[in-house]
Amino acid sequence: MISNLAALPIVIPLIVGVLAALFHKKLKLVRVYAQVLTLINTGVVAYILFYVHQNGSVVLESGDWMAPFGIVLVADMLSMTLVLTTNIVAIACIFYAPKSLSQKQEEFYFYTFYFLLISGVSGAFITGDLFNLFVFFEVLLMASYGLIVLGGEKVQLRESMKYVLINLFSSMLFVTTIAFLYSVVGTVNMAQIAERVGEVEQTGILTTIGILLFFVFGTKAALFPLYYWLPKPYIAPNPVISALFGALLTKVGIYSLLRVFSLIFVHERDVTHEFFIWIAALTLIFGSIGALSTNNIKLVVAYNIIPAVGFMLIGIGVYNSTGFSGTVYYLVHDMIIKAALFLLVGAVAYLAGTSDLRKIRGLIHHYPLLGWMFFISAFVLAGIPPFSGFVGKLVLLQGAMEADRIIIAIIGLGSSLLILLSVIRIFIRGFWGEKDESITPNRNAARGFIMPVAFLLFFSVLLGVGAEWFYPSIESIGDYLMNPENYIESILKE
Amino acid sequence: MEIIMSILAGVLFTTGVYNLLQKQMLRIIIGTALISHGAHLFILTMGELKTGAPPILEDNIELYTDPLPQALILTSIVISFGVTSLLLVLAYRASKENGTDNMEKLRGNEND
């Protein structure tokens, strides 16, 4: 009975989302409904995380098919931590949505797509089956296709074509890779794949499949050189949708990399993990240069997704438990802060009436609180103590140092400076400067924008200041990832 | 038989990629459809091809077909069917709204 807990974070949003479609035109009702049920879902997820923390992983063998034959759902500390973070981001977005979306966008199934997206993301985190991971990728991508064109403006339609095509292509590559893997190891259950790959000592063909899988997840996670599709489609839709995308979608890709390359393809690290370090370095450099290259404030934040993914890849590449803990910590931190930043620039663009940095000035005179919140989130993003970015980067770089990877640590630190510059530039030029008299301040709207962002920043600061409380759990996740036997045993029960 | 099927899947992939790199939207969509056909054929091939064998394992049956790839294909076909129909609608709306179906002309500018 208790193992059914693992399915709840997927099933609840799915049902809620479908039901929301039934009364999509009754805006007041559907808003309250979505807000209340997001909170309830978060409560359930928090309880599951607590349960997993106390009693160990919950494994659901769906339909009572025994582990390697049926689809398994695995709620372990890693997946539940990420699902909880997803839901925290979701809470902020759902309270921000009514202020930011037009009536038409809300009526045309925003809430349905939103819940399906949450369901797909949670599913991708929880599933223990490689093909099922593909299915959940498709669920979340389908929802994101719906969200990205919501409103149907010219720019959205133009960018969504590219977005759908690149994702469709990488999904097909994913299916092909699974077929390859199936023909070699004869299973799609991740635990059993890991076991069998270990038995044959990962021959050349398996390493090739591993690299192919890396390219699939690398496309979804926006790693160098596969990130070119990301920035523009991400800024085309409404800010709240951008926030959901920026916080969740690429992180599912990096989570999959973390899972696959800590569990399955770990025997030829000279090839795979060495390669990751270089890719991480290039991702960091090109992503942070990209963030400096533009005056569009939304594009600056969208480009900032890329170096963050590079940081997380360092932790996977160095392959030690400190590195893995760093990746997990950074994953949680980045989901929260990316959502906060997207929501903030969305608010700035809305209040200033433009997203061109050259036309925005002196906003702090009108909206002091918004300005200081932006200032704090810039510091969180760049990793200035005592905020969460600092702890994440510290642990990651510590992992890199333990593996004697000095160069990547230096590149990481250097790109942090560029990231700080790219975001603080928005603060200096957009918020400082002379008062812009042509703007009539809209304090009411600003207040609606501020609350959800403050909620997210609270968690960011908590993660940083309270690192002492959270870090032991994250550290145990790092150890858990270093010892894949635990994962395999909890599923195959041998 | 498996080799012929693999080559066929390869041919579908190449033609698909060729079409994907064209400028016209409809060609691109046909390209994605071809690629997904290639992928599906490939999964089927990977489970080994046997004629006339049932997809079940029982004690007295020696020759059986692996049922898993068939289940995987079915899922994958449904998904690519859905995505292709979505793409067609999207392409129709995008070309109408932007006044062109040439991807070359749909490059974005920063400040619009």
Side-chain angles (χ1 to χ4, degrees):
Chain A
M1 246 340 264
I2 202 76
S3 66
N4 284 335
L5 277 181
L8 285 181
I10 308 167
V11 175
I12 295 174
L14 195 68
I15 295 172
V16 170
V18 172
L19 289 181
L22 297 178
F23 44 92
H24 64 107
K25 290 251 161 112
K26 293 177 181 131
L27 273 190
K28 273 183 188 152
L29 180 65
V30 80
R31 272 178 200 160
V32 175
Y33 168 81
Q35 287 165 355
V36 168
L37 278 149
T38 305
L39 289 172
I40 291 175
N41 189 35
T42 312
V44 171
V45 170
Y47 170 72
I48 301 171
L49 178 63
F50 177 72
Y51 183 86
V52 171
H53 185 73
Q54 299 293 322
N55 303 308
S57 307
V58 177
V59 179
L60 173 66
E61 294 167 332
S62 53
D64 259 350
W65 284 89
M66 264 172 60
F69 306 111
I71 294 168
V72 286
L73 299 174
V74 187
D76 58 7
M77 275 300 282
L78 172 62
S79 49
M80 287 323 292
T81 309
L82 295 176
V83 173
L84 183 64
T85 319
T86 304
N87 276 286
I88 287 170
V89 170
I91 291 176
C93 288
I94 203 73
F95 281 94
Y96 188 95
K99 276 92 181 173
S100 168
L101 291 166
S102 71
Q103 190 194 348
K104 217 174 163 191
Q105 283 172 321
E106 269 188 284
E107 275 180 2
F108 280 90
Y109 306 108
F110 167 77
Y111 294 100
T112 304
F113 288 132
Y114 159 88
F115 279 113
L116 291 182
L117 186 76
I118 303 297
S119 170
V121 171
S122 309
F125 286 144
I126 290 174
T127 185
D129 183 289
L130 205 57
F131 192 80
N132 202 229
L133 180 65
F134 160 73
V135 173
F136 277 118
F137 259 118
E138 288 307 308
V139 171
L140 73 92
L141 285 174
M142 277 291 189
S144 76
Y145 300 156
L147 286 172
I148 200 169
V149 289
L150 200 65
E153 279 170 36
K154 218 171 168 177
V155 56
Q156 280 178 303
L157 288 164
R158 192 182 69 205
E159 298 302 333
S160 61
M161 263 315 269
K162 302 165 195 170
Y163 176 78
V164 176
L165 281 173
I166 193 83
N167 276 306
L168 183 57
F169 184 74
S170 72
S171 292
M172 282 305 136
L173 206 58
F174 194 5
V175 173
T176 318
T177 316
I178 292 172
F180 267 125
L181 198 56
Y182 183 73
S183 75
V184 179
V185 296
T187 177
V188 286
N189 181 297
M190 287 205 265
Q192 207 183 12
I193 295 173
E195 202 181 46
R196 292 199 173 162
V197 169
E199 277 166 14
V200 297
E201 302 267 287
Q202 196 174 344
T203 47
I205 181 88
L206 281 167
T207 310
T208 316
I209 294 170
I211 293 290
L212 209 54
L213 215 48
F214 171 76
F215 277 108
V216 172
F217 295 139
T219 314
K220 315 254 187 210
L223 292 166
F224 177 86
L226 306 162
Y227 68 78
Y228 56 90
W229 61 270
L230 180 131
K232 279 176 185 166
Y234 270 38
I235 62 165
N238 194 282
V240 62
I241 296 167
S242 300
L244 280 170
F245 282 16
L248 305 179
L249 298 196
T250 51
K251 309 305 177 289
V252 179
I254 208 83
Y255 160 80
S256 312
L257 279 175
L258 181 64
R259 194 59 113 186
V260 167
F261 287 95
S262 71
L263 182 68
I264 301 173
F265 302 105
V266 290
H267 306 281
E268 284 288 339
R269 289 198 299 278
D270 293 344
V271 183
T272 50
H273 290 64
E274 182 73 29
F275 177 60
F276 296 168
I277 299 270
W278 291 106
I279 292 286
L282 290 167
T283 310
L284 280 169
I285 295 169
F286 282 88
S288 41
I289 291 175
L292 285 170
S293 70
T294 171
N295 276 317
N296 184 333
I297 53 173
K298 289 182 181 173
L299 208 52
V300 170
V301 179
Y303 263 114
N304 263 312
I305 294 173
I306 296 158
V309 174
F311 263 113
M312 290 176 243
L313 194 63
I314 296 177
I316 304 172
V318 296
Y319 195 75
N320 53 33
S321 79
T322 321
F324 283 144
S325 320
T327 301
V328 177
Y329 205 97
Y330 206 84
L331 208 50
V332 173
H333 144 77
D334 198 61
M335 280 162 95
I336 291 174
I337 191 64
K338 280 290 136 60
L341 266 174
F342 268 111
L343 296 179
L344 271 172
V345 293
V348 171
Y350 179 89
L351 295 170
T354 172
S355 58
D356 188 346
L357 189 53
R358 284 165 296 194
K359 291 178 191 150
I360 306 172
R361 63 191 162 89
L363 273 183
I364 204 155
H365 298 290
H366 298 298
Y367 310 105
L369 197 56
L370 191 72
W372 291 116
M373 272 169 46
F374 195 91
F375 184 72
I376 292 174
S377 31
F379 273 23
V380 174
L381 184 72
I384 305 235
F387 303 117
S388 58
F390 170 72
V391 185
K393 277 176 188 168
L394 180 74
V395 180
L396 272 174
L397 297 182
Q398 204 182 334
M401 289 298 193
E402 276 175 23
D404 283 327
R405 304 276 186 180
I406 312 290
I407 297 173
I408 190 74
I410 293 170
I411 293 174
L413 287 172
S415 76
S416 295
L417 283 179
L418 294 183
I419 291 168
L420 178 62
L421 180 62
S422 74
V423 195
I424 214 75
R425 207 166 55 115
I426 300 177
F427 181 75
I428 291 173
R429 288 173 55 186
F431 284 94
W432 283 356
E434 275 176 47
K435 198 171 180 175
D436 192 346
E437 299 293 352
S438 64
I439 297 178
T440 41
N442 185 350
R443 284 185 203 283
N444 237 347
R447 206 170 299 129
F449 292 133
I450 282 169
M451 281 312 289
V453 182
F455 174 75
L456 287 175
L457 280 183
F458 166 75
F459 279 100
S460 259
V461 175
L462 189 70
L463 266 177
V465 177
E468 290 281 322
W469 304 323
F470 298 109
Y471 189 64
S473 315
I474 304 268
E475 202 174 20
S476 69
I477 296 177
D479 290 333
Y480 171 78
L481 285 171
M482 266 311 274
N483 302 302
E485 310 87 64
N486 298 338
Y487 181 83
I488 296 170
E489 252 167 51
S490 71
I491 292 166
L492 298 179
K493 300 190 187 80
E494 279 164 3
Chain B
M1 192 62 186
E2 274 89 0
I3 293 189
I4 298 171
M5 288 289 265
S6 302
I7 292 172
L8 182 59
V11 170
L12 281 170
F13 259 97
T14 29
T15 48
V17 170
Y18 175 77
N19 274 302
L20 201 62
L21 296 174
Q22 301 295 305
K23 287 169 192 164
Q24 214 185 336
M25 271 184 194
L26 200 58
R27 277 173 190 272
I28 294 171
I29 295 169
I30 290 170
T32 59
L34 286 173
I35 289 178
S36 49
H37 285 327
H40 299 152
L41 211 56
F42 193 67
I43 307 176
L44 193 67
T45 316
M46 284 298 127
E48 285 189 55
L49 301 166
K50 287 185 197 100
T51 319
I56 38 170
L57 176 59
E58 279 181 22
D59 290 339
N60 50 359
I61 294 176
E62 280 185 11
L63 194 70
Y64 67 98
T65 308
D66 192 349
L68 193 69
Q70 302 181 2
L72 301 188
I73 295 175
L74 202 61
T75 318
S76 180
I77 286 176
V78 173
I79 290 170
S80 71
F81 178 72
V83 179
T84 308
S85 48
L86 175 91
L87 254 180
L88 282 168
V89 177
L90 197 62
Y92 175 72
R93 275 295 302 276
S95 59
K96 243 190 160 182
E97 200 83 13
N98 289 291
T100 175
D101 72 337
N102 187 338
M103 287 302 269
E104 196 75 4
K105 289 180 185 154
L106 291 178
R107 286 167 185 267
N109 290 321
E110 194 178 301
N111 295 319
D112 58 4

